[in-house]
Amino acid sequence: MSILKYLSARRSQLCAARNYLKVLGLSSLHTAPNSSVELHTQDEEVVIALGSNVGDRLQNFKEALKLMRKSGINITRHASLYETAPAYVTDQPRFLNSAVRAVTKLGPHELLSALKRIEKDMGRTDGIRYGPRPMDLDILFYGKFKVRSDILTVPHERIWERPFVMAPLMDLLGTAVDNDTVASWHSFSGHSGGLNALWEKLGGESLIGEEGMTRVMPVANGLLDWSQRTLVMGVLNLTPDSFSDGGNFRSVESAVSQARLMISEGADIIDIGAQSTRPMASRISVEEELGRLIPVLEAVMSIPEAEGKLISVDTFYSEVASEAVRRGAHLINDVSAGKLDSNMFKVMADLDVPYVAMHMRGDPCTMQNNENLKYDNVCKDISSELYAQVKEAEMSGIPAWRIIMDPGIGFSKKTEDNLEVLAGIPDIRAEFSKRSLAISHAPILIGPSRKRFLGEICSRTSAVERDPATIAAVTACVLGGANIVRVHNVKDNLDAIKICDAIRRQKCCPVKFGQ
């Protein structure tokens, strides 16, 4: 159900509910910090904004989230991460801003006290209002209640004028209202169209990249703005049995040579895989995968050409992911989105690197069986199943600002399904947006390179003969809004991507960067 339809259907019920709460004295609940009604026995859903512009901002965010969980604030959803220009007091460093949805049994003033303790523990002093701070935590919403007291006002009184607050807040919602509490937040905006109408009035998505506000992803001790151009991920397989280049790069010397070639041709990311995930591939052990991977990873990390490039490791084992990051890998690419290792999300939550979650049913041995190839609606089903994994990842502590989505071309999909994905990237984003706008804004990675379905369409039995077909597939997905493409042939695909990027910069293209 759309927000407008939902609000229309619920308006009379919400009005009645507000009147009932006023009779009980609940619309201005907790008028005194020591009120006895602070004793809560049920969870309330809350929204808390975070901001930092002093010290290591990313570490400040990590520490604040950890302390919030320890304080009885159970985080369920994360917004995107924004770097923003300072407001009000402009002579200070740029901020990182975001927000979280959470549930807590703490009363409003208890929650406020917990957040103030966290700010103090992280080194915040009184200072000047709107001035620099290691961490700023504000309660934007508390359940269905409005709170008024000498020290606390909820909803936060300045939400509506601040794009750097509204953007993360909107990320925590979906275009479909998922419960009555969220419906009440829309009603608090005072706009008939809810928070969405208010956000659009401020400027909405047109503000991102403007007004000093950029959506970013932390990676390799920096902040990646993936809205500027399409990134190219070059494939480096160390396996003897990969479908395209199995056995070509098993020695350290040949693997490093291939990495150098791809970097010289313009690759932004080198994706190193030591375990084949082609259909019917046999699974190797953690030890064998590490034995193949680590010598090459360390060698590639050490070459001068790799400076400024990102190194990704393609693995579904949490132990491999952990060791790879310890050795310097910048991101983890998991074809199973956590399904093949129950410990993956917990490990990734502690690793602080981007995580590629790919859609696949079953495992490489079962993904192409009849049951796993059944879809009612390809794009809807992929979005629903992949979002379920991402939601679990968030609950495990992986924030949305570290997640990259991959619909999994060639995995658990027939030729016509793969074509649906290539044409349906905007539809996939739209399905994500119903559940979480933050996830709908996440970078989308597409990997059609030399896949079997291209050979079936073009009658090319040899994988290395499928580069022209790959370029066509890459062109389609970039024009559809893909942010990262994973390819074997970097040089020729990069030329196609540059043309697509130029088209997307034109006003005539319906899909812009970052969408």
Side-chain angles (χ1 to χ4, degrees):
M1 182 182 295
S2 71
I3 284 174
L4 291 178
K5 290 180 179 178
Y6 188 97
L7 288 176
S8 176
R10 297 293 293 170
R11 190 169 292 117
S12 61
Q13 294 170 321
L14 286 171
C15 289
R18 285 198 296 272
N19 291 335
Y20 178 68
L21 289 172
K22 287 179 181 178
V23 170
L24 297 179
L26 296 180
S27 63
S28 297
L29 192 58
H30 318 301
T31 56
N34 297 321
S35 172
S36 61
V37 291
E38 287 285 325
L39 298 176
H40 271 60
T41 58
Q42 67 177 30
D43 285 327
E44 294 289 354
E45 190 165 17
V46 300
V47 176
I48 299 168
L50 301 88
S52 173
N53 76 333
V54 172
D56 186 335
R57 299 174 298 172
L58 290 170
Q59 181 59 33
N60 291 345
F61 265 64
K62 180 181 178 181
E63 182 68 13
L65 295 176
K66 181 179 75 174
L67 293 174
M68 286 166 67
R69 291 186 179 95
K70 286 185 176 180
S71 301
I73 304 164
N74 300 309
I75 297 168
T76 59
R77 189 176 293 185
H78 307 73
S80 302
L81 186 66
Y82 296 85
E83 188 174 43
T84 64
Y88 308 115
V89 178
T90 57
D91 186 19
Q92 59 177 317
R94 291 173 67 82
F95 276 84
L96 285 185
N97 289 106
S98 192
V100 296
R101 276 172 72 170
V103 293
T104 185
K105 287 184 169 63
L106 298 174
H109 291 91
E110 292 173 318
L111 177 59
L112 177 65
S113 295
L115 297 179
K116 293 301 179 185
R117 279 196 305 272
I118 292 171
E119 290 179 343
K120 184 176 180 181
D121 289 346
M122 294 184 63
R124 181 171 178 178
T125 58
D126 290 340
I128 62 172
R129 192 178 189 193
Y130 306 128
R133 71 221 56 181
M135 181 51 59
D136 185 31
L137 300 170
D138 289 316
I139 304 171
L140 303 185
F141 291 114
Y142 183 92
K144 301 177 184 178
F145 304 114
K146 289 185 176 180
V147 182
R148 297 288 184 269
S149 76
D150 292 340
I151 61 171
L152 180 62
T153 300
V154 178
H156 192 282
E157 59 187 344
R158 308 200 77 169
I159 291 176
W160 325 116
E161 67 184 52
R162 299 176 173 180
F164 63 88
V165 175
M166 281 296 294
L169 171 60
M170 296 306 301
D171 286 343
L172 298 174
L173 309 176
T175 56
V177 177
D178 53 9
N179 60 45
D180 286 350
T181 299
V182 173
S184 72
W185 299 344
H186 282 287
S187 73
F188 291 158
S189 71
H191 286 259
S192 59
L195 292 166
N196 291 64
L198 189 61
W199 174 230
E200 290 303 317
K201 184 178 179 181
L202 280 175
E205 274 295 302
S206 67
L207 297 176
I208 310 303
E210 306 292 337
E211 302 295 325
M213 183 165 59
T214 306
R215 196 176 281 126
V216 294
M217 172 174 285
V219 60
N221 298 317
L223 297 173
L224 174 67
D225 176 6
W226 65 93
S227 69
Q228 298 302 305
R229 61 182 178 84
T230 305
L231 302 177
V232 181
M233 175 184 277
V235 180
L236 181 57
N237 286 322
L238 311 182
T239 57
D241 55 345
S242 290
F243 77 95
S244 173
D245 50 9
N248 289 354
F249 311 114
R250 296 185 68 183
S251 72
V252 173
E253 293 76 14
S254 60
V256 170
S257 177
Q258 179 66 6
R260 281 196 169 104
L261 174 63
M262 291 190 290
I263 291 172
S264 72
E265 291 178 342
D268 302 289
I269 309 167
I270 302 298
D271 189 42
I272 306 175
Q275 174 147 207
S276 176
T277 52
R278 63 174 176 78
M280 302 308 297
S282 298
R283 186 182 304 193
I284 64 173
S285 67
V286 168
E287 292 74 21
E288 187 173 357
E289 185 173 338
L290 284 171
R292 293 175 181 174
L293 171 69
I294 297 304
V296 172
L297 174 61
E298 291 183 333
V300 171
M301 294 289 300
S302 69
I303 62 176
E305 295 91 334
E307 185 176 353
K309 301 299 180 179
L310 299 179
I311 306 301
S312 167
V313 167
D314 182 355
T315 184
F316 51 74
Y317 283 136
S318 61
E319 292 173 77
V320 174
S322 181
E323 185 64 18
V325 172
R326 191 178 76 82
R327 303 287 183 122
H330 302 120
L331 63 153
I332 297 298
N333 182 8
D334 179 4
V335 298
S336 76
K339 286 186 174 182
L340 296 183
D341 186 336
S342 60
N343 206 38
M344 179 63 91
F345 292 157
K346 181 179 182 297
V347 168
M348 287 303 307
D350 292 330
L351 289 181
D352 288 334
V353 299
Y355 176 64
V356 181
M358 195 194 81
H359 176 267
M360 177 176 67
R361 293 172 171 175
D363 60 30
C365 286
T366 64
M367 65 183 182
Q368 296 299 114
N369 66 26
N370 290 336
E371 185 62 29
N372 285 329
L373 292 175
K374 291 179 181 177
Y375 292 91
D376 293 326
N377 180 298
V378 174
C379 291
K380 284 187 177 181
D381 292 350
I382 289 172
S383 300
S384 176
E385 293 166 22
L386 191 50
Y387 181 74
Q389 291 303 111
V390 169
K391 183 177 180 180
E392 184 180 339
E394 282 200 85
M395 295 289 285
S396 300
I398 304 174
W401 60 73
R402 287 205 280 112
I403 292 175
I404 298 169
M405 310 292 279
D406 182 348
I409 283 185
F411 290 78
S412 314
K413 296 166 187 74
K414 303 185 293 293
T415 294
E416 54 267 35
D417 300 330
N418 292 315
L419 295 175
E420 289 275 359
V421 172
L422 287 179
I425 295 173
D427 297 328
I428 291 172
R429 282 202 192 275
E431 288 297 318
F432 285 143
S433 73
K434 293 177 182 178
R435 301 166 176 87
S436 166
L437 286 170
I439 297 304
S440 75
H441 296 318
I444 286 185
L445 184 154
I446 300 287
S449 185
R450 298 179 178 174
K451 293 284 174 71
R452 179 180 298 177
F453 80 100
L454 299 176
E456 291 176 354
I457 294 171
C458 300
S459 301
R460 301 293 183 185
T461 56
S462 173
V464 295
E465 295 179 345
R466 299 170 191 162
D467 281 347
T470 298
I471 291 170
V474 163
T475 298
C477 66
V478 173
L479 290 178
N483 307 104
I484 307 170
V485 292
R486 183 177 184 272
V487 296
H488 297 82
N489 179 339
V490 171
K491 181 181 178 181
D492 293 339
N493 280 287
L494 182 56
D495 285 349
I497 289 166
K498 287 179 178 178
I499 298 298
C500 294
D501 282 354
I503 293 171
R504 285 173 66 179
R505 290 188 186 97
Q506 300 301 309
K507 292 182 180 180
C508 60
C509 185
V511 179
K512 304 302 179 184
F513 287 105
Q515 296 180 353

